[in-house]
Amino acid sequence: MAVEDVQTALEAQAYRTVNVSITNSSGTECDVLSFQLTGGSWQTPPQGGQPILPGNTQPYVNFTDAPFTALGGTIVLLPTTGGTLTIVWNWPWGGMVTGSATAAGVTGVAVSANVINPNTNSPTLQVSISNAAKT
């Protein structure tokens, strides 16, 4: 089954999804250090140690196939230059989806996050990893 067919099938059975799309525009590899969900399920879960190489985008989908279910989770990335990047999203039932990305102890990289299409049943948390501005 093609990726597009899997996505279409998922959307047909899911009440709501949060698409976490991580784009690494930096010159630094970032590896998945840890991940957990606080609500819902993974379409395909991250794998510990999985690299997100410079120039690549890695999507993860958090979904629920039941009504009145919250979605949310955390993914922590480890840049090869050190430190951590933490991605967090939360979508309580009846509330608005929120998401953020923070950096701690990093060298040479920066991270930002923006929720796209928050008023739909399938918003995207767009996470961008970039080279940090030199001071």
Side-chain angles (χ1 to χ4, degrees):
M1 186 178 276
V3 173
E4 296 82 16
D5 295 335
V6 171
Q7 183 65 30
T8 300
L10 174 66
E11 289 172 357
Q13 66 183 344
Y15 278 86
R16 299 183 301 151
T17 63
V18 174
N19 304 294
V20 180
S21 180
I22 305 169
T23 300
N24 185 356
S25 298
S26 77
T28 302
E29 180 180 312
C30 295
D31 299 329
V32 174
L33 179 64
S34 63
F35 53 93
Q36 69 175 11
L37 290 178
T38 56
S41 302
W42 294 108
Q43 177 186 7
T44 302
Q47 300 297 314
Q50 177 182 29
I52 302 175
L53 300 173
N56 288 354
T57 297
Q58 180 63 52
Y60 298 106
V61 178
N62 176 208
F63 75 96
T64 178
D65 57 4
F68 314 113
T69 302
L71 296 174
T74 304
I75 299 173
V76 179
L77 302 176
L78 181 65
T80 55
T81 56
T84 57
L85 305 175
T86 302
I87 302 162
V88 178
W89 66 97
N90 185 45
W91 193 4
W93 178 254
M96 293 295 294
V97 65
T98 59
S100 64
T102 56
V106 298
T107 302
V109 296
V111 66
S112 63
N114 184 37
V115 177
I116 301 168
N117 298 322
N119 296 322
T120 68
N121 281 337
S122 189
T124 297
L125 176 60
Q126 178 63 57
V127 178
S128 298
I129 302 168
S130 61
N131 291 323
K134 297 190 183 221
T135 56

